Amino acid sequence: MTNTLKVVLLSSVLLSGVAGYTLSTPKESNIVTVHASWGTEQPSVESLLDESDLVVVGTLKEDLESYQPFDGYEHTFTDGTIELQRVLKGPSLDEVVLSQYGGVREDGKIEVFDDLPLLDKSKTYLMFLSKINDNTERNGKYQVTGGPQGLYELAGSDRKRMKAPDAELSDFAISSFVDGEINQKVIDAGLDTIADLAKESK
């Protein structure tokens, strides 16, 4: 049996980029699964690029801390240092701090978003990122743009090969964690086309 808690999250949730969510906790489980609503889906790859401050290929270098930045709410974030292999849009950086959705709550339970996993150190990702500007400890860090609209795995990619100057971006296949229309458009475009479009993005 599943105990479900529906939470109306008003202004603090809007700050976190989530339009609302539902928590599902199987009895005697240590995992709290979050079913989030991420708001409006971007209509095109170009608009997703325009909404993003930074578009990168990177890997999780180090998990930092989990925390609850919004007073009165348990929803949890976990910071991670992301090592960048390629910057497709934005300033030339070696690494950034990503504020990920989910992590270890104060009660010891682990909050997991069903369509936006915490990053795995063994994998390489394509990330559309937005810089956070608020009055919490997330300020100045990055978050994925539009939740699962902004996070993709590069299937079978090799970190060293990605950094090589002569690496062909078309060699890296993109996969998504959800079946959204914008996700399929990103997959169909391919990494090389996204890199070209990013050069024209505002």
Side-chain angles (χ1 to χ4, degrees), residues 3-195:
N3 299 320
T4 302
L5 173 64
K6 292 186 176 179
V7 186
V8 179
L9 294 174
L10 303 181
S11 61
S12 64
V13 170
L14 294 177
L15 283 172
S16 71
V18 182
Y21 67 41
T22 299
L23 304 180
S24 297
T25 309
K27 197 171 183 179
E28 299 180 357
S29 171
N30 196 45
I31 303 295
V32 177
T33 302
V34 183
H35 312 281
S37 174
W38 299 100
T40 304
E41 183 176 25
Q42 292 299 321
S44 66
V45 175
E46 290 87 345
S47 64
L48 182 59
L49 283 163
D50 288 344
E51 286 295 313
S52 302
D53 299 307
L54 192 64
V55 180
V56 300
V57 172
T59 56
L60 177 64
K61 179 180 178 181
E62 181 183 10
D63 270 319
L64 301 177
E65 61 177 354
S66 294
Y67 54 97
Q68 296 74 36
F70 300 111
D71 292 339
Y73 295 101
E74 287 187 319
H75 52 296
T76 299
F77 298 84
T78 300
D79 286 347
T81 302
I82 308 300
E83 181 182 1
L84 306 184
Q85 273 76 52
R86 288 285 183 104
V87 177
L88 305 182
K89 176 186 175 179
S92 180
L93 301 168
D94 293 324
E95 59 184 38
V96 297
V97 176
L98 177 67
S99 179
Q100 304 177 86
Y101 294 87
V104 181
R105 304 193 326 181
E106 289 183 338
D107 61 6
K109 292 185 180 294
I110 300 172
E111 190 173 293
V112 178
F113 281 70
D114 62 345
D115 56 0
L116 188 63
L118 293 169
L119 300 191
D120 184 327
K121 287 184 178 179
S122 68
K123 297 180 179 179
T124 303
Y125 300 91
L126 167 64
M127 291 172 276
F128 296 78
L129 303 177
S130 300
K131 195 162 190 177
I132 300 167
N133 182 15
D134 65 15
N135 59 355
T136 74
E137 59 193 290
R138 301 181 75 217
N139 186 54
K141 302 169 186 175
Y142 287 89
Q143 64 182 359
V144 289
T145 303
Q149 300 179 54
L151 181 65
Y152 302 83
E153 185 179 335
L154 293 182
S157 57
D158 181 286
R159 300 182 195 189
K160 293 181 180 178
R161 191 159 63 92
M162 174 60 74
K163 279 190 166 184
D166 60 346
E168 292 290 340
L169 295 183
S170 58
D171 292 342
F172 299 87
I174 301 171
S175 60
S176 176
F177 299 99
V178 297
D179 295 326
E181 289 185 15
I182 182 59
N183 302 83
Q184 190 58 52
K185 289 176 180 178
V186 169
I187 292 170
D188 291 344
L191 196 56
D192 51 346
T193 297
I194 292 169

